[in-house]
Coordinates of all heavy atoms in Angstrom, one line a residue:
M1 N 52.2 170.6 247.8 CA 52.7 171.1 246.6 C 52.4 172.6 246.4 O 51.3 173.1 246.7 CB 52.0 170.4 245.4 CG 52.5 169.0 245.1 SD 54.2 169.0 244.5 CE 53.8 169.5 242.8
A2 N 53.5 173.4 246.1 CA 53.3 174.8 245.8 C 52.7 174.9 244.4 O 53.0 174.1 243.5 CB 54.6 175.5 245.9
S3 N 51.9 175.9 244.2 CA 51.2 176.1 242.9 C 52.0 177.2 242.1 O 52.9 177.8 242.5 CB 49.8 176.5 243.1 OG 49.7 177.7 243.9
S4 N 51.5 177.4 240.8 CA 52.1 178.3 239.9 C 52.2 179.7 240.6 O 51.2 180.2 241.2 CB 51.4 178.4 238.6 OG 51.9 179.4 237.8
L5 N 53.3 180.4 240.3 CA 53.4 181.8 240.8 C 53.2 182.8 239.7 O 53.4 184.0 239.8 CB 54.8 182.0 241.4 CG 55.1 181.1 242.6 CD1 56.5 181.3 243.1 CD2 54.1 181.4 243.8
I6 N 52.9 182.3 238.5 CA 52.7 183.2 237.3 C 51.4 183.0 236.6 O 51.3 183.4 235.5 CB 53.9 183.1 236.3 CG1 54.0 181.6 235.8 CG2 55.2 183.5 237.0 CD1 55.0 181.5 234.6
D7 N 50.4 182.4 237.3 CA 49.1 182.2 236.6 C 48.1 183.3 237.0 O 46.9 183.2 236.6 CB 48.5 180.8 237.0 CG 48.3 180.6 238.5 OD1 48.5 181.6 239.2 OD2 47.8 179.5 238.9
G8 N 48.6 184.3 237.7 CA 47.7 185.4 238.1 C 46.7 185.1 239.2 O 45.9 186.0 239.6
R9 N 46.8 183.9 239.8 CA 45.9 183.5 240.9 C 46.8 183.6 242.2 O 47.9 183.0 242.2 CB 45.4 182.1 240.8 CG 44.3 182.0 239.7 CD 43.6 180.6 239.7 NE 43.1 180.4 241.1 CZ 43.5 179.3 241.8 NH1 44.4 178.5 241.4 NH2 42.9 179.1 243.0
W10 N 46.3 184.3 243.2 CA 47.1 184.5 244.4 C 46.2 184.1 245.6 O 45.1 184.7 245.8 CB 47.6 185.9 244.6 CG 48.5 186.4 243.5 CD1 48.1 187.1 242.4 CD2 49.8 186.0 243.3 NE1 49.2 187.3 241.6 CE2 50.3 186.6 242.1 CE3 50.8 185.3 244.1 CZ2 51.6 186.5 241.7 CZ3 52.1 185.1 243.6 CH2 52.5 185.7 242.4
D11 N 46.6 183.1 246.3 CA 45.8 182.6 247.4 C 46.1 183.3 248.7 O 45.3 183.3 249.7 CB 46.0 181.1 247.7 CG 45.6 180.3 246.5 OD1 44.6 180.6 245.8 OD2 46.2 179.2 246.2
Y12 N 47.3 184.0 248.8 CA 47.7 184.7 250.0 C 47.9 186.2 249.8 O 48.7 186.8 250.5 CB 49.0 184.0 250.5 CG 48.7 182.6 250.9 CD1 48.9 181.6 250.0 CD2 48.3 182.2 252.1 CE1 48.7 180.2 250.3 CE2 48.0 180.9 252.5 CZ 48.2 179.9 251.5 OH 47.9 178.6 251.8
G13 N 47.1 186.7 248.9 CA 47.1 188.2 248.7 C 47.8 188.5 247.4 O 48.9 188.0 247.1
A14 N 47.2 189.4 246.6 CA 47.7 189.7 245.3 C 48.4 191.0 245.2 O 49.0 191.3 244.1 CB 46.5 189.7 244.3
S15 N 48.5 191.8 246.3 CA 49.3 193.1 246.1 C 50.8 192.8 246.2 O 51.2 191.7 246.7 CB 48.9 194.0 247.3 OG 49.4 193.6 248.5
D16 N 51.6 193.7 245.7 CA 53.0 193.6 245.8 C 53.4 193.3 247.3 O 54.3 192.5 247.6 CB 53.7 194.8 245.3 CG 53.7 194.9 243.7 OD1 53.1 194.0 243.1 OD2 54.2 195.8 243.2
A17 N 52.8 194.0 248.2 CA 53.2 193.9 249.6 C 52.8 192.5 250.1 O 53.6 191.9 250.9 CB 52.4 195.0 250.5
D18 N 51.7 191.9 249.7 CA 51.3 190.6 250.1 C 52.3 189.6 249.6 O 52.7 188.6 250.3 CB 49.9 190.2 249.5 CG 48.8 191.0 250.1 OD1 48.9 191.4 251.3 OD2 47.8 191.2 249.4
I19 N 52.7 189.7 248.3 CA 53.6 188.8 247.7 C 55.0 188.9 248.4 O 55.7 187.9 248.7 CB 53.7 189.0 246.2 CG1 52.3 188.7 245.6 CG2 54.7 188.1 245.6 CD1 52.2 189.1 244.1
F20 N 55.4 190.1 248.7 CA 56.6 190.3 249.4 C 56.6 189.6 250.7 O 57.6 188.9 251.1 CB 56.8 191.9 249.6 CG 58.1 192.2 250.3 CD1 59.2 192.7 249.5 CD2 58.3 192.0 251.7 CE1 60.4 193.1 250.1 CE2 59.6 192.3 252.3 CZ 60.6 192.9 251.5
A21 N 55.5 189.7 251.4 CA 55.4 189.0 252.8 C 55.4 187.5 252.6 O 56.0 186.8 253.4 CB 54.1 189.5 253.5
S22 N 54.7 187.0 251.6 CA 54.7 185.5 251.4 C 56.2 185.0 251.2 O 56.5 184.0 251.8 CB 53.9 185.2 250.1 OG 52.5 185.4 250.3
I23 N 57.0 185.8 250.5 CA 58.4 185.4 250.3 C 59.2 185.6 251.6 O 60.0 184.7 252.0 CB 59.0 186.2 249.1 CG1 58.2 185.9 247.8 CG2 60.5 185.8 249.0 CD1 58.6 186.8 246.7
A24 N 59.1 186.8 252.2 CA 60.0 187.2 253.3 C 59.6 186.4 254.6 O 60.5 185.9 255.3 CB 60.0 188.7 253.5
V25 N 58.3 186.4 254.9 CA 57.9 185.7 256.1 C 57.6 184.3 255.9 O 57.7 183.5 256.9 CB 56.6 186.5 256.6 CG1 56.1 185.9 257.9 CG2 56.8 188.0 256.8
G26 N 57.2 183.9 254.7 CA 56.8 182.5 254.4 C 55.3 182.3 254.8 O 54.6 183.3 255.2
I27 N 54.8 181.1 254.6 CA 53.4 180.8 254.9 C 53.5 179.5 255.8 O 53.4 178.4 255.3 CB 52.6 180.5 253.6 CG1 52.8 181.7 252.7 CG2 51.1 180.3 254.0 CD1 52.2 181.5 251.3
P28 N 53.8 179.7 257.0 CA 54.1 178.5 257.9 C 53.0 177.5 257.9 O 53.3 176.3 257.9 CB 54.3 179.2 259.3 CG 54.5 180.6 259.1 CD 53.9 181.0 257.7
E29 N 51.8 177.9 257.9 CA 50.7 176.9 258.0 C 50.6 176.1 256.7 O 49.9 175.1 256.7 CB 49.3 177.6 258.3 CG 48.8 178.5 257.1 CD 49.3 179.9 257.1 OE1 50.4 180.2 257.7 OE2 48.6 180.8 256.5
D30 N 51.3 176.5 255.6 CA 51.2 175.8 254.4 C 52.5 175.2 253.9 O 52.6 174.6 252.8 CB 50.6 176.7 253.3 CG 49.5 176.0 252.5 OD1 49.4 174.8 252.6 OD2 48.7 176.8 251.9
G31 N 53.6 175.3 254.7 CA 54.9 174.7 254.4 C 55.8 175.6 253.6 O 56.8 175.1 253.1
M32 N 55.4 176.8 253.3 CA 56.3 177.7 252.6 C 57.3 178.4 253.5 O 56.9 179.0 254.5 CB 55.5 178.8 251.9 CG 56.3 180.0 251.4 SD 57.1 179.8 249.9 CE 58.1 181.3 249.8
P33 N 58.6 178.1 253.3 CA 59.6 178.7 254.2 C 59.8 180.2 253.9 O 59.6 180.6 252.8 CB 60.9 177.9 253.9 CG 60.7 177.5 252.4 CD 59.3 177.3 252.2
G34 N 60.1 180.9 254.9 CA 60.4 182.4 254.8 C 61.8 182.6 254.4 O 62.7 181.8 254.8
F35 N 62.1 183.6 253.5 CA 63.4 183.8 253.0 C 64.0 185.2 253.5 O 65.0 185.6 253.0 CB 63.4 183.8 251.5 CG 63.3 182.3 250.9 CD1 62.0 181.8 250.7 CD2 64.4 181.6 250.7 CE1 61.9 180.5 250.2 CE2 64.3 180.3 250.2 CZ 63.0 179.7 250.0
G36 N 63.3 185.8 254.5 CA 63.7 187.1 254.9 C 65.0 187.1 255.6 O 65.7 188.2 255.6
A37 N 65.5 186.0 256.1 CA 66.8 185.9 256.8 C 67.9 185.7 255.8 O 69.1 186.0 256.1 CB 66.8 184.8 257.8
V38 N 67.6 185.3 254.6 CA 68.7 185.0 253.6 C 68.7 186.0 252.4 O 69.6 186.0 251.6 CB 68.7 183.6 253.1 CG1 69.1 182.6 254.2 CG2 67.4 183.2 252.5
M39 N 67.6 186.8 252.2 CA 67.5 187.7 251.2 C 67.2 189.1 251.8 O 66.4 189.2 252.7 CB 66.4 187.4 250.2 CG 66.8 186.2 249.3 SD 65.6 186.0 247.9 CE 64.5 184.9 248.7
D40 N 67.9 190.1 251.2 CA 67.5 191.5 251.7 C 66.3 192.0 250.9 O 65.8 191.3 250.0 CB 68.7 192.4 251.6 CG 69.2 192.7 250.2 OD1 68.4 192.6 249.3 OD2 70.4 193.0 250.0
A41 N 65.7 193.1 251.4 CA 64.5 193.6 250.8 C 64.6 193.8 249.3 O 63.7 193.5 248.5 CB 64.1 194.9 251.5
A42 N 65.8 194.3 248.8 CA 65.9 194.6 247.4 C 65.8 193.2 246.6 O 65.3 193.2 245.5 CB 67.3 195.3 247.1
Q43 N 66.4 192.2 247.2 CA 66.3 190.9 246.5 C 64.9 190.4 246.5 O 64.4 189.8 245.4 CB 67.2 189.9 247.2 CG 68.7 190.2 247.0 CD 69.6 189.3 247.8 OE1 69.4 189.2 249.0 NE2 70.6 188.8 247.2
V44 N 64.1 190.5 247.5 CA 62.7 190.0 247.6 C 61.9 190.9 246.6 O 61.1 190.3 245.8 CB 62.2 190.1 249.0 CG1 60.7 189.7 249.0 CG2 63.0 189.2 250.0
E45 N 62.2 192.2 246.6 CA 61.4 193.1 245.6 C 61.7 192.7 244.2 O 60.8 192.7 243.3 CB 61.8 194.5 245.8 CG 61.0 195.2 247.0 CD 61.7 196.5 247.5 OE1 62.5 197.0 246.7 OE2 61.3 196.9 248.6
A46 N 63.0 192.3 243.9 CA 63.3 191.8 242.5 C 62.5 190.6 242.2 O 62.1 190.4 241.0 CB 64.8 191.6 242.4
L47 N 62.3 189.7 243.1 CA 61.5 188.5 242.8 C 60.1 188.8 242.6 O 59.4 188.2 241.7 CB 61.6 187.5 244.0 CG 62.9 186.7 244.1 CD1 62.9 185.8 245.4 CD2 63.1 185.8 242.9
V48 N 59.5 189.8 243.4 CA 58.1 190.2 243.1 C 58.0 190.7 241.7 O 57.1 190.4 241.0 CB 57.7 191.3 244.2 CG1 56.3 191.8 243.8 CG2 57.7 190.7 245.6
R49 N 59.0 191.6 241.3 CA 58.9 192.2 239.9 C 59.0 191.1 238.9 O 58.3 191.1 237.9 CB 60.1 193.1 239.7 CG 59.8 194.5 240.2 CD 60.6 195.6 239.5 NE 62.1 195.3 239.6 CZ 62.8 195.5 240.7 NH1 62.3 196.0 241.8 NH2 64.1 195.2 240.7
L50 N 59.9 190.1 239.1 CA 60.1 189.0 238.2 C 58.8 188.2 238.0 O 58.4 187.9 236.8 CB 61.2 188.0 238.7 CG 61.5 186.8 237.9 CD1 62.2 187.2 236.6 CD2 62.3 185.8 238.7
M51 N 58.1 187.9 239.1 CA 56.8 187.2 239.0 C 55.8 188.1 238.3 O 55.0 187.5 237.5 CB 56.3 186.9 240.4 CG 57.0 185.7 241.0 SD 56.4 185.3 242.6 CE 57.9 185.4 243.5
R52 N 55.7 189.4 238.5 CA 54.8 190.3 237.9 C 55.0 190.2 236.3 O 54.1 190.2 235.6 CB 54.9 191.7 238.4 CG 54.4 191.9 239.8 CD 53.0 191.6 239.9 NE 52.4 192.1 241.2 CZ 51.3 191.7 241.7 NH1 50.5 190.8 241.0 NH2 50.8 192.1 242.8
E53 N 56.3 190.3 235.9 CA 56.6 190.3 234.5 C 56.2 189.0 233.8 O 55.9 189.0 232.7 CB 58.1 190.6 234.3 CG 58.4 192.1 234.5 CD 59.9 192.4 234.7 OE1 60.7 191.5 234.3 OE2 60.3 193.4 235.2
A54 N 56.3 187.9 234.6 CA 56.0 186.6 234.0 C 54.6 186.2 234.1 O 54.1 185.2 233.4 CB 56.9 185.5 234.7
E55 N 53.8 187.0 234.8 CA 52.4 186.7 235.0 C 51.6 186.6 233.7 O 51.8 187.4 232.8 CB 51.7 187.8 235.9 CG 50.9 187.3 237.0 CD 50.5 188.4 238.0 OE1 51.0 189.5 237.9 OE2 49.6 188.1 238.8
D56 N 50.7 185.6 233.6 CA 49.9 185.4 232.4 C 49.0 186.6 232.2 O 48.4 187.1 233.1 CB 49.1 184.1 232.5 CG 49.9 182.9 232.4 OD1 51.1 183.0 231.9 OD2 49.5 181.8 232.8
Ligands
HEM101 C1 62.8 182.0 246.4 C2 62.0 180.9 246.4 C3 60.5 181.0 246.6 C4 59.6 182.0 246.2 C5 59.9 183.3 245.5 C6 58.3 181.6 246.6 C7 57.1 182.4 246.5 C8 55.9 182.0 247.0 C9 54.7 182.9 246.9 C10 54.7 184.3 246.4 C11 53.7 182.2 247.5 C12 52.2 182.7 247.7 C13 51.4 182.3 246.5 C14 50.0 182.7 246.5 O1 49.7 183.8 247.2 O2 49.1 182.1 245.9 C15 54.2 180.9 247.8 C16 53.4 179.8 248.4 C17 53.9 178.6 248.7 N1 55.2 178.2 248.6 FE1 56.8 179.3 248.0 N2 58.4 180.4 247.2 C18 59.7 180.0 247.2 C19 60.2 178.8 247.7 C20 59.4 177.8 248.2 C21 60.0 176.5 248.8 C22 61.5 176.2 248.8 C23 58.9 175.8 249.2 C24 58.9 174.4 249.7 C25 59.9 173.8 250.3 C26 57.7 176.5 248.9 C27 56.4 176.1 249.2 C28 55.3 176.9 249.1 C29 54.0 176.5 249.5 C30 53.6 175.1 250.0 C31 53.1 177.5 249.3 C32 51.6 177.6 249.6 C33 50.8 176.9 248.5 C34 50.6 177.8 247.3 O3 50.3 178.9 247.4 O4 50.9 177.2 246.2 N3 58.1 177.8 248.4 N4 55.5 180.8 247.5

């Protein structure tokens, strides 16, 4: 199960660059698929911003 992305807790790094990498590369050892092949950098950055704005 994936956990909340807006609770302010980050298990795979809390910097914008870490979150970008979690989305683009994925977390293979934990079952998170990478989206770098289907989203460009601007789209991944927009998701990082969205999560930051929604963070508790
Ligand atoms: C665009 C869609 C998605 C985004 C933006 C996204 C984003 C993220 C991020 C940022 C993390 C790291 C969380 C941390 O550092 O604590 C993560 C972890 C994870 N994601 Fe995703 N994810 C997406 C889709 C998916 C999908 C489709 C799956 C499963 C099929 C999935 C499964 C997981 C798992 C298992 C983890 C690791 C456990 C956890 O941290 O909760 N994710 N995801």
Side-chain angles (χ1 to χ4, degrees):
M1 283 290 285
S3 54
S4 171
L5 298 175
I6 57 168
D7 63 1
R9 290 190 54 239
W10 298 102
D11 297 326
Y12 296 91
S15 73
D16 285 0
D18 291 329
I19 297 169
F20 184 104
S22 291
I23 299 168
V25 181
I27 309 169
E29 70 273 23
D30 230 340
M32 163 81 186
F35 288 89
V38 293
M39 285 191 269
D40 62 28
Q43 291 173 309
V44 177
E45 278 163 17
L47 282 175
V48 174
R49 276 203 307 281
L50 180 71
M51 284 180 235
R52 291 296 193 198
E53 283 165 16
E55 230 171 343
D56 290 342

